């Protein structure tokens, strides 16, 4: 499969006052063996300056959305999906990590299941 035919995958990370731990989650996304990805972090009105710190550390490698008031994880996940143009979306909590091949393996499994069931999943 060539780069242009690989589907884009977005990983959305809601966070609230999790600096510097959210950096570990972001690093695990950016370190994926599957490269056609985007990482979207939704800061849920943190008081620890997470948005600025993430921007300073990761720059254009990560999309940061700053929620002006705390609305909890579900709201932030939905907010993160809005600007996303990826074919597949997954969610990662700010205190979780992905292994280096997580996205590649999950995408392969997802596609295989789609072929086996005959149900188109993307």
């Amino acid at each position: 499969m060539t780069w242009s035919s690989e589907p884009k995958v977005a990983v959305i990370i809601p966070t609230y006052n999790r600096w510097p731990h959210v950096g570990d989650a972001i690093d695990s996304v950016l370190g994926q063996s599957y490269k056609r990805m985007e990482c979207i972090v939704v800061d849920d009105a943190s008081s620890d300056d997470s948005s600025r710190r993430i921007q300073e550390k990761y720059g254009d490698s990560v999309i940061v959305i700053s929620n002006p008031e705390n609305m909890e994880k579900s709201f932030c996940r939905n907010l993160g999906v809005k600007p996303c143009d990826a074919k597949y979306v997954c969610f990662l909590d700010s205190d979780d990590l992905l292994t280096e091949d997580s996205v590649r393996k999950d995408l392969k499994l997802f596609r295989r299941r789609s072929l086996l069931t005959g149900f188109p999943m993307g």
Side-chain angles (χ1 to χ4, degrees):
M1 184 177 300
T2 64
W3 171 267
S4 61
S5 66
E6 290 182 329
K8 189 175 187 181
V9 176
V11 178
I12 299 171
I13 306 171
T15 189
Y16 176 71
N17 287 336
R18 296 290 301 157
W19 185 261
H21 304 291
V22 68
D24 295 333
I26 295 168
D27 290 341
S28 79
V29 173
L30 298 179
Q32 289 297 296
S33 62
Y34 190 85
K35 297 300 181 189
R36 188 141 158 71
M37 298 183 54
E38 66 182 347
C39 181
I40 301 170
V41 179
V42 182
D43 179 21
D44 198 19
S46 294
S47 59
D48 66 355
D49 215 14
S50 291
S51 290
R52 181 188 60 77
R53 291 173 171 184
I54 292 166
Q55 282 294 100
E56 283 180 0
K57 183 172 182 179
Y58 297 100
D60 293 338
S61 299
V62 175
I63 297 167
V64 179
I65 300 170
S66 298
N67 196 19
E69 66 178 288
N70 186 274
M71 298 294 288
E72 301 298 329
K73 270 194 240 186
S74 294
F75 181 89
C76 290
R77 287 180 180 129
N78 290 330
L79 188 61
V81 170
K82 287 183 181 182
C84 168
D85 66 350
K87 187 168 186 171
Y88 299 101
V89 173
C90 65
F91 301 106
L92 182 68
D93 286 342
S94 59
D95 60 348
D96 289 336
L97 304 175
L98 297 174
T99 60
E100 185 179 331
D101 289 328
S102 289
V103 171
R104 182 177 302 285
K105 288 178 180 178
D106 288 348
L107 189 56
K108 184 177 179 180
L109 179 64
F110 191 71
R111 286 177 163 168
R112 187 177 322 133
R113 175 166 257 157
S114 174
L115 291 173
L116 290 174
T117 62
F119 183 73
M121 296 183 170

